[in-house]
Amino acid sequence: LGAVPKADVQRLLAFEPARRADLAYWLARAFDWRGRKASAATADVPDSMAAWIDGALAHGVPGDDARGERFAPGRPATVLTALDWSERAARAAHYSLATPKSGDVAFWRGLLAGTALAPKSGRALNIPADARLTRAQWLGMVSNLRFPQIRVIETTDFHGAILGGSKDRRSGRAYGGTTALAAWIEHYRSENPEGTVLLDGGDIFQGTMISNLQSGRPVVEQMNLLGYAAAAIGNHDFDWNADTLRSRVTAMRFAGLGANIIERKSGRRPWWIRSDTTFARRGVRVSVFGLGYTGTPRVTLPANVAHLRFDDDSATAAVGIPRLRKAGADVVVMLGHIPAETDSSHKAHGDIARLANGVPGVDLWLGGHSHNVVDDNIRGASVMIAGANGQYLALADLTVDPVKHAVVERRQRVMQVWADQYPADTLWLARVKRWNASIAPIASEVLGRNVTALNRRRPEATVGDFITDAMCFASGSDIAMQNPGGMRADLPAGEITRGTIYDIMPFDNTIVTLQMTGADVRLALEQGLKGERITAVSGVRYAFDLGRPAMGRLVSLTMADGSPLDDAKTYKVAVNNFMATGGDNYDALNRGGNKDDSGLVIRGAMEAYVREKCKGGAAIDFKGDSRVQQAGR
């Protein structure tokens, strides 16, 4: 970056003791502080260094220790002197430091990062007054000072996945879960403890028995202990209503962000949601701007967010990002519950790519909602999504020029969180055990046995067949429908416990029955296919072709026995209460007649169905019946 001339490096004498003249000279070179004349205090240093040392003196780098014999330019420098002068240089260059006085210990630790002088993780900074340093160590400190590195780590869509349990199909290697996630975060934070920023892209709590039955409290405790700086507000964070979410957010020791989440009545953000947050790391001013998902009313219970609107994300960011830059941000991170897709070349497309292409001034775009891995660069900015369920970490190392308020180098990667990569901390094991103490007996209750594993694969999700058959069984309906997004896990072969049922259906959706004509049933299925959602069904069979134009993708639709579906006839249809109010754009269901919310949670219907089918030691042996087929492939 031009801060160090090649000739100076070639004659560095790296392992010689650093002199006080070296301190002043290299600080001045790093900040391009060249004086007009040599100072009397530098009479015993080479002429080539004199003007630069004069520049350091002019900027007050040595403080009061700057004139005559007291300066002693040829005397070996101590580590404490190097730290003190570096901090003075940072304050002269208007870095963002914690206090107006000298002795910012966090900043000093950052200056020592990567050198043999750095204290080990968790240990206090304890430097003897006479501790010396070499020229190589000194230039390491100057590098850390002039071009500090900020490490940003993102998780997203954790969905309460405290217990983990996922395994790689080929190797059997486990990944995810709180203990593994904590070990990975602490490992990568230890490499840059003063410069690490930990963020989350939203959908934090909802999704597992251990989290849901405690209304997300263990997840908040986990994130507080791990030291998160901010999290975006996700659509499923509203699933237990806005009041519960407010309670969780107010218990967070970090910011809950959503600049575009606005109260309809007041026209302002709810008081407990922030648009952005700014903090200092290693003298760098880092600003994080947050966005909620604009489609939230369609992907959570609409009643829970009826009092809110989710404004255009582009327009909101286009106003907010320049404001942060104007306020002096060195690094701007956009953290949103914003999805993206990737093509075969790993290029990002979708909402977050649209934002990155249209809104300048952002160094790092971090998204969520789509539960996939994104690792791309768009218009010079990093664009990343860290998968879901604590199974991945997105990591971006940003080398910053605080003088120019710019990122000058970047490295990034998304990593799978293998459970055996780093040793689990006994404290985290104890915490998970405590959180699970009251839940484990409930989760382990055996309901029955399953012979053949049921999955969520397209076109016919056999676990969806199981869910909708249970809905018909519980409600006495002719037809049942389930949106694919509500099915969150497969049903393995073997014992069926309350925990496995909960994994499949973690949402507290209830069964709603409607009176619908055959034509309206057809319309609802078409509305799902319009968004390429293949609706799970019971009582009917259908075939579809996604290559056809939207709203014309149904190829055939019959009753389960193959008889025609009568468009004019009225049928009793069971759906979940999310779909019944038009969620996921099933608008036809919102128009159904004689709407009756049974109050029966679908999970309960599934449990009753398993008990019934497994009476007398029997087992569920369901292999699918081709009730959903894809044509045109």
Side-chain angles (χ1 to χ4, degrees), residues 188-202:
Y188 283 99
R189 182 174 11 227
S190 70
E191 294 179 342
N192 186 1
E194 302 303 332
T196 296
V197 178
L198 181 58
L199 304 171
D200 189 273

Side-chain angles (χ1 to χ4, degrees), residues 12 43 107 157 181 207 308 311 381 410 424 431 559 586 604 632:
L12 180 62
F107 183 66
D157 294 272
L181 186 67
L308 300 171
D311 285 357
R410 64 183 68 237
R431 287 165 184 147
M559 299 302 292
Y586 288 98

